[in-house]
Amino acid sequence: MVKSTVRFPEPVVEEIESLVEEGQFESKSEFYRFSADYVLSRTLDEYDPQTIDYDAIEAEVIPDTERELGGDADADGPPFFDSVAFVRKLALRGNFSDAEDFIDHQYVPGDRHAVLLEELLRLYREDAASDEPAPAADPEPEPPSRNR
């Protein structure tokens, strides 16, 4: 192995040391090797991690849901971007309750996709509310006039 010196901010080193103390990694060196391998394996298609027991460490440290962040492989509902398009279409037409029903029936409460769709719907509601004209103000009553 090649030895390389890298400088890290102190808070980063403190977090790494706490992971080692908790038993997530055997040593700081194992953390650094795994981290570099992990980023390279995600960045380069043909990179093969060199860390001993890389797969075991990855399975223990990074849950499957985080490894597939943004993917629909674990979703029970329709593909997420199809849902975004459908909710957007309903919201642009002012059918907010239909959009809510869609989200409620396609996703379980707390699902990350449902949360994002609800937030998207909230933004469309706010836009629709700001586009509505302000109610007309009542005309001010004319002061009484005196006839002499």
Side-chain angles (χ1 to χ4, degrees), residues 2-111:
V2 176
K3 184 175 180 178
S4 179
T5 302
V6 179
R7 296 185 186 275
F8 290 98
E10 196 168 315
V12 171
V13 175
E14 289 171 2
E15 290 296 331
I16 294 167
E17 288 172 345
S18 71
L19 289 173
V20 172
E21 288 172 12
E22 292 170 5
Q24 293 280 336
F25 294 91
E26 288 182 15
S27 64
K28 290 190 294 184
S29 293
E30 182 185 62
F31 174 88
Y32 297 130
R33 284 191 296 272
F34 173 80
S35 299
D37 269 347
Y38 183 78
V39 170
L40 290 170
S41 69
R42 295 297 180 254
T43 307
L44 306 171
D45 291 333
E46 297 181 18
Y47 181 79
D48 185 30
Q50 303 298 307
T51 301
I52 297 171
D53 296 329
Y54 175 85
D55 292 333
I57 296 170
E58 181 184 35
E60 183 179 330
V61 175
I62 302 172
D64 286 337
T65 56
E66 290 183 28
R67 282 190 250 159
E68 295 179 10
L69 186 62
D72 287 328
D74 61 341
D76 292 331
F80 179 64
F81 288 110
D82 290 349
S83 296
V84 169
F86 188 68
V87 167
R88 179 180 183 274
K89 180 174 83 172
L90 291 171
L92 289 173
R93 294 178 179 169
N95 298 332
F96 299 112
S97 62
D98 291 345
E100 285 175 340
D101 289 343
F102 171 79
I103 296 167
D104 291 344
H105 289 94
Q106 296 297 323
Y107 297 94
V108 296
D111 178 270

